[in-house]
Amino acid sequence: MGSKEVTCAVLLSGRSPIGFDRKVRVKGSSTLLLPKRQQGSALRFTCFPHSWYSAAPKVGGRDRLGRFSRYVLIALFILGVALRIRQYAACPSYWYDEAYLLLNVFHKSFGELLGPLRENQAAPPLFLWLLRGMYQLMGGSEWWMRLPALMASIAGLLVMASWAQRVAGRRSWLWAVAFCALGHHAIAHASEVKPYALDFLMAELVLLAALRCQAVVSNWRSRIALCFLAVLTPWTSYPSVFVLGSASLALLVHGFRHRGTVHGRARILLACTAGMASAFSTFVLWQSALRHQATPVLRAFWEPSFLDLSSPAAALTWIGRCLNEIGNYGTREMGLPLVVLGLIGAISLRRRPARLVVLLGPLFLALLASALHLYPLGGRLVFFLLPCVWVLAARGIEVLRRHLSVRSAWLSWGLPTILLAPALLWAGQRFIVVTPRCQFREAFAYVEARRQPRDVLWVSHPQVYEVYQGRTPDLSAYSSPARVEQAARTGRLWMICAVAGSHERYTAAETVRRVKAAPCAILDRRRFRGLEVVLYATMTKPQPQQ
């Protein structure tokens, strides 16, 4: 079989994304390697069937590196999945934040989930509908309610391996996969009834679609996928709107840099289409659901997570603390070195502004929303930014590897190893023993097995009790201390109270103090993880002797 000659006119420039050697797939042909050319030059190359050159002998070093990368990738994937499944299989009790959300899933219809939520909760409608459907089909056990988070976390690990190598470099992209596989918050969110794992996955999918659309030769599937995500992801993940906005801006930057070509004009049209679709979807989402969930209580709770604009110094200090918090969320208290590596990686992309915008855009848009008090940038709500941080840090590692001398080359692998060491130790401990936040389920079962018909039950977090038992307790932390004390004086009172720290900081401390000071006897006392169960009863007066 003879070869097939194809002539392709490809407009290249020094600033083009294909200014260096790159594999390009041409319709009806195989994958080819395009070398650097001058602007406006025409390339004539020969296309062979894929089986011809895939079976050809490869350069020994590159082939060994490819095999080593595959082995490391498989090992990281197995380790990451095993850690997530181990956390999920331990099936710890619901904690109170999960219970607050589940009360809405259990007791509201699909239509009511678009309205105001109980306990000042906020969650994307599609996530709530998914949980509601699973609850109606399978029940409200921890196994089923946490399954979406587990699947999203495993999928996020797979997608990280798919798109990190497009940005981080051929030798260092595995570090981004390692950060994702061993990240303690990435593992923890895989077994929570919260949308954070979906935030992470949706951000990665949008980033992957945007990077594929920036390619010189991109198929129609990538463009349709980006438009589809522009409509869908705001209903699945609230912070995905920042990633979608940065993707549209990046396509605009890419299109205007090549506006004299058909490729550039197509990217401008795609950016406008995806941006308008995302804006319209977000507007409908705001009118139908989000405005009901943005309660004054939530705004007051997240007030410290809004950008402080009282002065320029205060704003810079707040941004510095926020960056360190994002870094700490992506590693085990090693946030500053991770952020520094990310900055090095971002600087290395200065000549590729489209990719720089798509990776840094979500952070800047989230900062803008935080300044406008529209999105709190703190705590678990920064988790969606970690894909960008990890990939930029991996690219920073690649930059160090290329520029360091031979004697200092150990820094290119020593520094990320130090960053991963605390996470690896933590993962090893969690693989052996999974420690729940609070053993609510075990405490409730203990009390219900020993409770008598006339006993009064007081629970510090009645929402968790309602999730497990389907009814509210007799008394709770919302009851007046005097009423609880009276119940202890006149009968048997079970108290299930959350305890924090070694100094025994009780929830509803005033109520606990008054009950302890009352003339009551303690008939039973049991400690669980994060909880204390105590049975109080009225002291019986001694009978006078005849």
Side-chain angles (χ1 to χ4, degrees), residues 91-95 98-99 102-103 106 140-142 146 438-442 444 462-471:
C91 194
S93 169
Y94 290 132
W95 60 298
E98 292 177 298
L102 286 174
L103 284 179
F106 291 175
S141 69
E142 293 92 341
R146 289 173 175 156
C438 289
Q439 293 180 306
F440 282 108
R441 182 184 60 219
E442 294 80 359
F444 296 153
Q463 299 88 349
V464 188
Y465 184 83
E466 185 178 353
V467 165
Y468 276 109
Q469 302 299 326
R471 63 182 186 276

PDB file of all heavy atoms in Angstrom, residues 91-95 98-99 102-103 106 140-142 146 438-442 444 462-471:
ATOM      1  N   CYS A  91     -18.507   4.053  56.286  1.00  0.00           N
ATOM      2  CA  CYS A  91     -19.890   4.477  56.529  1.00  0.00           C
ATOM      3  C   CYS A  91     -20.041   5.191  57.876  1.00  0.00           C
ATOM      4  O   CYS A  91     -20.805   4.773  58.745  1.00  0.00           O
ATOM      5  CB  CYS A  91     -20.829   3.259  56.472  1.00  0.00           C
ATOM      6  SG  CYS A  91     -22.581   3.695  56.362  1.00  0.00           S
ATOM      7  N   PRO A  92     -19.300   6.280  58.088  1.00  0.00           N
ATOM      8  CA  PRO A  92     -19.473   7.013  59.343  1.00  0.00           C
ATOM      9  C   PRO A  92     -20.846   7.664  59.417  1.00  0.00           C
ATOM     10  O   PRO A  92     -21.537   7.839  58.409  1.00  0.00           O
ATOM     11  CB  PRO A  92     -18.356   8.058  59.292  1.00  0.00           C
ATOM     12  CG  PRO A  92     -18.084   8.247  57.841  1.00  0.00           C
ATOM     13  CD  PRO A  92     -18.323   6.915  57.198  1.00  0.00           C
ATOM     14  N   SER A  93     -21.225   8.026  60.608  1.00  0.00           N
ATOM     15  CA  SER A  93     -22.537   8.639  60.829  1.00  0.00           C
ATOM     16  C   SER A  93     -22.629   9.982  60.112  1.00  0.00           C
ATOM     17  O   SER A  93     -21.625  10.672  59.885  1.00  0.00           O
ATOM     18  CB  SER A  93     -22.754   8.827  62.333  1.00  0.00           C
ATOM     19  OG  SER A  93     -23.877   9.635  62.588  1.00  0.00           O
ATOM     20  N   TYR A  94     -23.845  10.343  59.742  1.00  0.00           N
ATOM     21  CA  TYR A  94     -24.068  11.696  59.230  1.00  0.00           C
ATOM     22  C   TYR A  94     -23.615  12.704  60.282  1.00  0.00           C
ATOM     23  O   TYR A  94     -23.839  12.516  61.484  1.00  0.00           O
ATOM     24  CB  TYR A  94     -25.553  11.932  58.951  1.00  0.00           C
ATOM     25  CG  TYR A  94     -26.112  11.179  57.777  1.00  0.00           C
ATOM     26  CD1 TYR A  94     -27.311  10.476  57.895  1.00  0.00           C
ATOM     27  CD2 TYR A  94     -25.480  11.177  56.551  1.00  0.00           C
ATOM     28  CE1 TYR A  94     -27.851   9.787  56.815  1.00  0.00           C
ATOM     29  CE2 TYR A  94     -26.005  10.494  55.466  1.00  0.00           C
ATOM     30  CZ  TYR A  94     -27.187   9.799  55.610  1.00  0.00           C
ATOM     31  OH  TYR A  94     -27.707   9.117  54.550  1.00  0.00           O
ATOM     32  N   TRP A  95     -22.992  13.758  59.850  1.00  0.00           N
ATOM     33  CA  TRP A  95     -22.732  14.857  60.769  1.00  0.00           C
ATOM     34  C   TRP A  95     -23.758  15.953  60.515  1.00  0.00           C
ATOM     35  O   TRP A  95     -24.536  15.889  59.560  1.00  0.00           O
ATOM     36  CB  TRP A  95     -21.294  15.349  60.646  1.00  0.00           C
ATOM     37  CG  TRP A  95     -20.871  15.855  59.310  1.00  0.00           C
ATOM     38  CD1 TRP A  95     -20.828  15.162  58.145  1.00  0.00           C
ATOM     39  CD2 TRP A  95     -20.404  17.169  59.000  1.00  0.00           C
ATOM     40  NE1 TRP A  95     -20.369  15.942  57.126  1.00  0.00           N
ATOM     41  CE2 TRP A  95     -20.093  17.185  57.611  1.00  0.00           C
ATOM     42  CE3 TRP A  95     -20.193  18.323  59.737  1.00  0.00           C
ATOM     43  CZ2 TRP A  95     -19.607  18.318  56.968  1.00  0.00           C
ATOM     44  CZ3 TRP A  95     -19.697  19.451  59.097  1.00  0.00           C
ATOM     45  CH2 TRP A  95     -19.423  19.449  57.735  1.00  0.00           C
ATOM     46  N   GLU A  98     -24.442  17.611  57.048  1.00  0.00           N
ATOM     47  CA  GLU A  98     -25.125  16.715  56.120  1.00  0.00           C
ATOM     48  C   GLU A  98     -26.599  16.587  56.482  1.00  0.00           C
ATOM     49  O   GLU A  98     -27.474  16.553  55.599  1.00  0.00           O
ATOM     50  CB  GLU A  98     -24.469  15.336  56.145  1.00  0.00           C
ATOM     51  CG  GLU A  98     -23.072  15.282  55.577  1.00  0.00           C
ATOM     52  CD  GLU A  98     -22.463  13.905  55.700  1.00  0.00           C
ATOM     53  OE1 GLU A  98     -22.300  13.428  56.845  1.00  0.00           O
ATOM     54  OE2 GLU A  98     -22.150  13.286  54.666  1.00  0.00           O
ATOM     55  N   ALA A  99     -26.889  16.494  57.771  1.00  0.00           N
ATOM     56  CA  ALA A  99     -28.282  16.334  58.206  1.00  0.00           C
ATOM     57  C   ALA A  99     -29.121  17.547  57.837  1.00  0.00           C
ATOM     58  O   ALA A  99     -30.293  17.410  57.466  1.00  0.00           O
ATOM     59  CB  ALA A  99     -28.331  16.088  59.714  1.00  0.00           C
ATOM     60  N   LEU A 102     -30.038  17.009  54.310  1.00  0.00           N
ATOM     61  CA  LEU A 102     -30.889  15.837  54.088  1.00  0.00           C
ATOM     62  C   LEU A 102     -32.319  16.058  54.561  1.00  0.00           C
ATOM     63  O   LEU A 102     -33.239  15.421  54.036  1.00  0.00           O
ATOM     64  CB  LEU A 102     -30.287  14.625  54.796  1.00  0.00           C
ATOM     65  CG  LEU A 102     -29.049  14.022  54.118  1.00  0.00           C
ATOM     66  CD1 LEU A 102     -28.451  12.931  54.984  1.00  0.00           C
ATOM     67  CD2 LEU A 102     -29.396  13.486  52.738  1.00  0.00           C
ATOM     68  N   LEU A 103     -32.525  16.909  55.532  1.00  0.00           N
ATOM     69  CA  LEU A 103     -33.897  17.214  55.939  1.00  0.00           C
ATOM     70  C   LEU A 103     -34.710  17.757  54.772  1.00  0.00           C
ATOM     71  O   LEU A 103     -35.902  17.448  54.632  1.00  0.00           O
ATOM     72  CB  LEU A 103     -33.893  18.227  57.085  1.00  0.00           C
ATOM     73  CG  LEU A 103     -33.525  17.700  58.471  1.00  0.00           C
ATOM     74  CD1 LEU A 103     -33.554  18.829  59.491  1.00  0.00           C
ATOM     75  CD2 LEU A 103     -34.481  16.599  58.908  1.00  0.00           C
ATOM     76  N   PHE A 106     -35.337  14.747  52.263  1.00  0.00           N
ATOM     77  CA  PHE A 106     -36.294  13.761  52.738  1.00  0.00           C
ATOM     78  C   PHE A 106     -37.728  14.288  52.768  1.00  0.00           C
ATOM     79  O   PHE A 106     -38.670  13.525  52.545  1.00  0.00           O
ATOM     80  CB  PHE A 106     -35.912  13.288  54.141  1.00  0.00           C
ATOM     81  CG  PHE A 106     -34.654  12.460  54.196  1.00  0.00           C
ATOM     82  CD1 PHE A 106     -34.121  12.054  55.407  1.00  0.00           C
ATOM     83  CD2 PHE A 106     -33.995  12.092  53.032  1.00  0.00           C
ATOM     84  CE1 PHE A 106     -32.957  11.301  55.457  1.00  0.00           C
ATOM     85  CE2 PHE A 106     -32.825  11.341  53.074  1.00  0.00           C
ATOM     86  CZ  PHE A 106     -32.314  10.946  54.291  1.00  0.00           C
ATOM     87  N   GLY A 140     -32.860   6.380  52.694  1.00  0.00           N
ATOM     88  CA  GLY A 140     -31.978   7.456  53.149  1.00  0.00           C
ATOM     89  C   GLY A 140     -30.732   6.991  53.868  1.00  0.00           C
ATOM     90  O   GLY A 140     -30.212   7.736  54.712  1.00  0.00           O
ATOM     91  N   SER A 141     -30.224   5.799  53.559  1.00  0.00           N
ATOM     92  CA  SER A 141     -29.029   5.310  54.236  1.00  0.00           C
ATOM     93  C   SER A 141     -27.799   6.078  53.771  1.00  0.00           C
ATOM     94  O   SER A 141     -27.789   6.709  52.708  1.00  0.00           O
ATOM     95  CB  SER A 141     -28.834   3.814  53.980  1.00  0.00           C
ATOM     96  OG  SER A 141     -28.493   3.586  52.624  1.00  0.00           O
ATOM     97  N   GLU A 142     -26.743   6.006  54.594  1.00  0.00           N
ATOM     98  CA  GLU A 142     -25.500   6.678  54.245  1.00  0.00           C
ATOM     99  C   GLU A 142     -24.906   6.161  52.942  1.00  0.00           C
ATOM    100  O   GLU A 142     -24.289   6.921  52.185  1.00  0.00           O
ATOM    101  CB  GLU A 142     -24.465   6.509  55.368  1.00  0.00           C
ATOM    102  CG  GLU A 142     -24.815   7.224  56.664  1.00  0.00           C
ATOM    103  CD  GLU A 142     -25.580   6.327  57.623  1.00  0.00           C
ATOM    104  OE1 GLU A 142     -26.144   5.319  57.154  1.00  0.00           O
ATOM    105  OE2 GLU A 142     -25.617   6.631  58.831  1.00  0.00           O
ATOM    106  N   ARG A 146     -24.438   9.086  49.924  1.00  0.00           N
ATOM    107  CA  ARG A 146     -23.047   9.497  49.671  1.00  0.00           C
ATOM    108  C   ARG A 146     -22.496   8.948  48.361  1.00  0.00           C
ATOM    109  O   ARG A 146     -21.371   9.283  47.994  1.00  0.00           O
ATOM    110  CB  ARG A 146     -22.161   9.047  50.833  1.00  0.00           C
ATOM    111  CG  ARG A 146     -22.402   9.841  52.107  1.00  0.00           C
ATOM    112  CD  ARG A 146     -21.646   9.263  53.266  1.00  0.00           C
ATOM    113  NE  ARG A 146     -21.783  10.103  54.467  1.00  0.00           N
ATOM    114  CZ  ARG A 146     -21.642   9.659  55.697  1.00  0.00           C
ATOM    115  NH1 ARG A 146     -21.354   8.385  55.915  1.00  0.00           N
ATOM    116  NH2 ARG A 146     -21.785  10.481  56.726  1.00  0.00           N
ATOM    117  N   CYS A 438     -18.618  12.839  64.339  1.00  0.00           N
ATOM    118  CA  CYS A 438     -19.465  12.599  65.515  1.00  0.00           C
ATOM    119  C   CYS A 438     -20.209  11.287  65.299  1.00  0.00           C
ATOM    120  O   CYS A 438     -20.728  11.037  64.207  1.00  0.00           O
ATOM    121  CB  CYS A 438     -20.468  13.731  65.727  1.00  0.00           C
ATOM    122  SG  CYS A 438     -19.737  15.287  66.285  1.00  0.00           S
ATOM    123  N   GLN A 439     -20.302  10.484  66.324  1.00  0.00           N
ATOM    124  CA  GLN A 439     -20.984   9.197  66.232  1.00  0.00           C
ATOM    125  C   GLN A 439     -22.451   9.355  66.637  1.00  0.00           C
ATOM    126  O   GLN A 439     -22.927   8.750  67.602  1.00  0.00           O
ATOM    127  CB  GLN A 439     -20.280   8.166  67.107  1.00  0.00           C
ATOM    128  CG  GLN A 439     -18.896   7.795  66.617  1.00  0.00           C
ATOM    129  CD  GLN A 439     -18.220   6.771  67.510  1.00  0.00           C
ATOM    130  OE1 GLN A 439     -18.105   6.951  68.724  1.00  0.00           O
ATOM    131  NE2 GLN A 439     -17.771   5.679  66.911  1.00  0.00           N
ATOM    132  N   PHE A 440     -23.171  10.155  65.865  1.00  0.00           N
ATOM    133  CA  PHE A 440     -24.581  10.382  66.165  1.00  0.00           C
ATOM    134  C   PHE A 440     -25.378   9.085  66.069  1.00  0.00           C
ATOM    135  O   PHE A 440     -26.206   8.794  66.944  1.00  0.00           O
ATOM    136  CB  PHE A 440     -25.158  11.419  65.210  1.00  0.00           C
ATOM    137  CG  PHE A 440     -24.813  12.835  65.549  1.00  0.00           C
ATOM    138  CD1 PHE A 440     -23.915  13.548  64.769  1.00  0.00           C
ATOM    139  CD2 PHE A 440     -25.382  13.469  66.636  1.00  0.00           C
ATOM    140  CE1 PHE A 440     -23.589  14.859  65.072  1.00  0.00           C
ATOM    141  CE2 PHE A 440     -25.079  14.781  66.955  1.00  0.00           C
ATOM    142  CZ  PHE A 440     -24.170  15.477  66.170  1.00  0.00           C
ATOM    143  N   ARG A 441     -25.166   8.338  65.014  1.00  0.00           N
ATOM    144  CA  ARG A 441     -25.948   7.123  64.810  1.00  0.00           C
ATOM    145  C   ARG A 441     -25.775   6.151  65.968  1.00  0.00           C
ATOM    146  O   ARG A 441     -26.751   5.585  66.470  1.00  0.00           O
ATOM    147  CB  ARG A 441     -25.508   6.464  63.497  1.00  0.00           C
ATOM    148  CG  ARG A 441     -26.291   5.200  63.133  1.00  0.00           C
ATOM    149  CD  ARG A 441     -25.716   4.578  61.873  1.00  0.00           C
ATOM    150  NE  ARG A 441     -24.322   4.207  62.044  1.00  0.00           N
ATOM    151  CZ  ARG A 441     -23.385   4.357  61.118  1.00  0.00           C
ATOM    152  NH1 ARG A 441     -23.691   4.898  59.953  1.00  0.00           N
ATOM    153  NH2 ARG A 441     -22.142   3.979  61.353  1.00  0.00           N
ATOM    154  N   GLU A 442     -24.540   5.955  66.420  1.00  0.00           N
ATOM    155  CA  GLU A 442     -24.281   5.041  67.520  1.00  0.00           C
ATOM    156  C   GLU A 442     -24.885   5.559  68.831  1.00  0.00           C
ATOM    157  O   GLU A 442     -25.421   4.766  69.625  1.00  0.00           O
ATOM    158  CB  GLU A 442     -22.779   4.841  67.682  1.00  0.00           C
ATOM    159  CG  GLU A 442     -22.109   4.128  66.511  1.00  0.00           C
ATOM    160  CD  GLU A 442     -21.815   5.020  65.324  1.00  0.00           C
ATOM    161  OE1 GLU A 442     -22.157   6.217  65.399  1.00  0.00           O
ATOM    162  OE2 GLU A 442     -21.279   4.526  64.312  1.00  0.00           O
ATOM    163  N   PHE A 444     -27.542   7.550  69.175  1.00  0.00           N
ATOM    164  CA  PHE A 444     -28.998   7.419  69.120  1.00  0.00           C
ATOM    165  C   PHE A 444     -29.416   5.967  69.344  1.00  0.00           C
ATOM    166  O   PHE A 444     -30.394   5.693  70.057  1.00  0.00           O
ATOM    167  CB  PHE A 444     -29.515   7.920  67.770  1.00  0.00           C
ATOM    168  CG  PHE A 444     -29.288   9.391  67.534  1.00  0.00           C
ATOM    169  CD1 PHE A 444     -29.166   9.899  66.238  1.00  0.00           C
ATOM    170  CD2 PHE A 444     -29.190  10.277  68.589  1.00  0.00           C
ATOM    171  CE1 PHE A 444     -28.959  11.248  66.016  1.00  0.00           C
ATOM    172  CE2 PHE A 444     -28.972  11.638  68.367  1.00  0.00           C
ATOM    173  CZ  PHE A 444     -28.854  12.108  67.087  1.00  0.00           C
ATOM    174  N   PRO A 462     -30.966  18.496  66.979  1.00  0.00           N
ATOM    175  CA  PRO A 462     -32.198  17.742  66.686  1.00  0.00           C
ATOM    176  C   PRO A 462     -32.358  17.386  65.217  1.00  0.00           C
ATOM    177  O   PRO A 462     -33.067  16.438  64.881  1.00  0.00           O
ATOM    178  CB  PRO A 462     -33.307  18.692  67.158  1.00  0.00           C
ATOM    179  CG  PRO A 462     -32.696  20.062  67.078  1.00  0.00           C
ATOM    180  CD  PRO A 462     -31.255  19.871  67.417  1.00  0.00           C
ATOM    181  N   GLN A 463     -31.690  18.122  64.312  1.00  0.00           N
ATOM    182  CA  GLN A 463     -31.821  17.816  62.884  1.00  0.00           C
ATOM    183  C   GLN A 463     -31.250  16.436  62.563  1.00  0.00           C
ATOM    184  O   GLN A 463     -31.813  15.693  61.745  1.00  0.00           O
ATOM    185  CB  GLN A 463     -31.116  18.887  62.055  1.00  0.00           C
ATOM    186  CG  GLN A 463     -31.672  20.293  62.234  1.00  0.00           C
ATOM    187  CD  GLN A 463     -31.004  21.036  63.385  1.00  0.00           C
ATOM    188  OE1 GLN A 463     -30.262  20.449  64.178  1.00  0.00           O
ATOM    189  NE2 GLN A 463     -31.269  22.328  63.486  1.00  0.00           N
ATOM    190  N   VAL A 464     -30.139  16.084  63.199  1.00  0.00           N
ATOM    191  CA  VAL A 464     -29.543  14.772  62.954  1.00  0.00           C
ATOM    192  C   VAL A 464     -30.463  13.671  63.487  1.00  0.00           C
ATOM    193  O   VAL A 464     -30.642  12.620  62.857  1.00  0.00           O
ATOM    194  CB  VAL A 464     -28.148  14.679  63.593  1.00  0.00           C
ATOM    195  CG1 VAL A 464     -27.449  13.391  63.166  1.00  0.00           C
ATOM    196  CG2 VAL A 464     -27.300  15.881  63.224  1.00  0.00           C
ATOM    197  N   TYR A 465     -31.052  13.923  64.653  1.00  0.00           N
ATOM    198  CA  TYR A 465     -31.977  12.936  65.221  1.00  0.00           C
ATOM    199  C   TYR A 465     -33.188  12.752  64.317  1.00  0.00           C
ATOM    200  O   TYR A 465     -33.664  11.622  64.116  1.00  0.00           O
ATOM    201  CB  TYR A 465     -32.416  13.403  66.609  1.00  0.00           C
ATOM    202  CG  TYR A 465     -33.305  12.428  67.334  1.00  0.00           C
ATOM    203  CD1 TYR A 465     -32.772  11.366  68.048  1.00  0.00           C
ATOM    204  CD2 TYR A 465     -34.694  12.565  67.314  1.00  0.00           C
ATOM    205  CE1 TYR A 465     -33.583  10.460  68.718  1.00  0.00           C
ATOM    206  CE2 TYR A 465     -35.515  11.681  67.974  1.00  0.00           C
ATOM    207  CZ  TYR A 465     -34.947  10.627  68.674  1.00  0.00           C
ATOM    208  OH  TYR A 465     -35.770   9.734  69.332  1.00  0.00           O
ATOM    209  N   GLU A 466     -33.683  13.830  63.739  1.00  0.00           N
ATOM    210  CA  GLU A 466     -34.839  13.733  62.851  1.00  0.00           C
ATOM    211  C   GLU A 466     -34.497  12.957  61.578  1.00  0.00           C
ATOM    212  O   GLU A 466     -35.331  12.204  61.065  1.00  0.00           O
ATOM    213  CB  GLU A 466     -35.335  15.132  62.501  1.00  0.00           C
ATOM    214  CG  GLU A 466     -36.612  15.155  61.683  1.00  0.00           C
ATOM    215  CD  GLU A 466     -37.107  16.553  61.405  1.00  0.00           C
ATOM    216  OE1 GLU A 466     -36.527  17.519  61.956  1.00  0.00           O
ATOM    217  OE2 GLU A 466     -38.085  16.690  60.636  1.00  0.00           O
ATOM    218  N   VAL A 467     -33.275  13.108  61.070  1.00  0.00           N
ATOM    219  CA  VAL A 467     -32.864  12.354  59.885  1.00  0.00           C
ATOM    220  C   VAL A 467     -32.849  10.860  60.178  1.00  0.00           C
ATOM    221  O   VAL A 467     -33.313  10.050  59.368  1.00  0.00           O
ATOM    222  CB  VAL A 467     -31.481  12.842  59.401  1.00  0.00           C
ATOM    223  CG1 VAL A 467     -30.871  11.855  58.412  1.00  0.00           C
ATOM    224  CG2 VAL A 467     -31.600  14.204  58.750  1.00  0.00           C
ATOM    225  N   TYR A 468     -32.354  10.465  61.339  1.00  0.00           N
ATOM    226  CA  TYR A 468     -32.226   9.048  61.662  1.00  0.00           C
ATOM    227  C   TYR A 468     -33.529   8.439  62.182  1.00  0.00           C
ATOM    228  O   TYR A 468     -33.847   7.290  61.875  1.00  0.00           O
ATOM    229  CB  TYR A 468     -31.121   8.845  62.699  1.00  0.00           C
ATOM    230  CG  TYR A 468     -29.747   8.766  62.108  1.00  0.00           C
ATOM    231  CD1 TYR A 468     -28.827   9.803  62.285  1.00  0.00           C
ATOM    232  CD2 TYR A 468     -29.357   7.675  61.348  1.00  0.00           C
ATOM    233  CE1 TYR A 468     -27.561   9.729  61.738  1.00  0.00           C
ATOM    234  CE2 TYR A 468     -28.088   7.594  60.788  1.00  0.00           C
ATOM    235  CZ  TYR A 468     -27.202   8.624  60.990  1.00  0.00           C
ATOM    236  OH  TYR A 468     -25.945   8.555  60.420  1.00  0.00           O
ATOM    237  N   GLN A 469     -34.274   9.184  62.984  1.00  0.00           N
ATOM    238  CA  GLN A 469     -35.454   8.612  63.633  1.00  0.00           C
ATOM    239  C   GLN A 469     -36.767   9.015  62.978  1.00  0.00           C
ATOM    240  O   GLN A 469     -37.814   8.436  63.288  1.00  0.00           O
ATOM    241  CB  GLN A 469     -35.481   9.032  65.107  1.00  0.00           C
ATOM    242  CG  GLN A 469     -34.244   8.624  65.889  1.00  0.00           C
ATOM    243  CD  GLN A 469     -34.045   7.126  65.925  1.00  0.00           C
ATOM    244  OE1 GLN A 469     -35.007   6.363  65.961  1.00  0.00           O
ATOM    245  NE2 GLN A 469     -32.786   6.689  65.921  1.00  0.00           N
ATOM    246  N   GLY A 470     -36.737  10.020  62.101  1.00  0.00           N
ATOM    247  CA  GLY A 470     -37.961  10.446  61.435  1.00  0.00           C
ATOM    248  C   GLY A 470     -38.878  11.285  62.282  1.00  0.00           C
ATOM    249  O   GLY A 470     -40.017  11.559  61.889  1.00  0.00           O
ATOM    250  N   ARG A 471     -38.440  11.721  63.445  1.00  0.00           N
ATOM    251  CA  ARG A 471     -39.234  12.571  64.343  1.00  0.00           C
ATOM    252  C   ARG A 471     -38.283  13.468  65.121  1.00  0.00           C
ATOM    253  O   ARG A 471     -37.079  13.212  65.194  1.00  0.00           O
ATOM    254  CB  ARG A 471     -40.066  11.726  65.310  1.00  0.00           C
ATOM    255  CG  ARG A 471     -39.238  10.865  66.244  1.00  0.00           C
ATOM    256  CD  ARG A 471     -40.100  10.005  67.152  1.00  0.00           C
ATOM    257  NE  ARG A 471     -39.313   9.282  68.150  1.00  0.00           N
ATOM    258  CZ  ARG A 471     -38.710   8.132  67.938  1.00  0.00           C
ATOM    259  NH1 ARG A 471     -38.813   7.543  66.749  1.00  0.00           N
ATOM    260  NH2 ARG A 471     -38.015   7.546  68.899  1.00  0.00           N
TER     261      ARG A 471
END
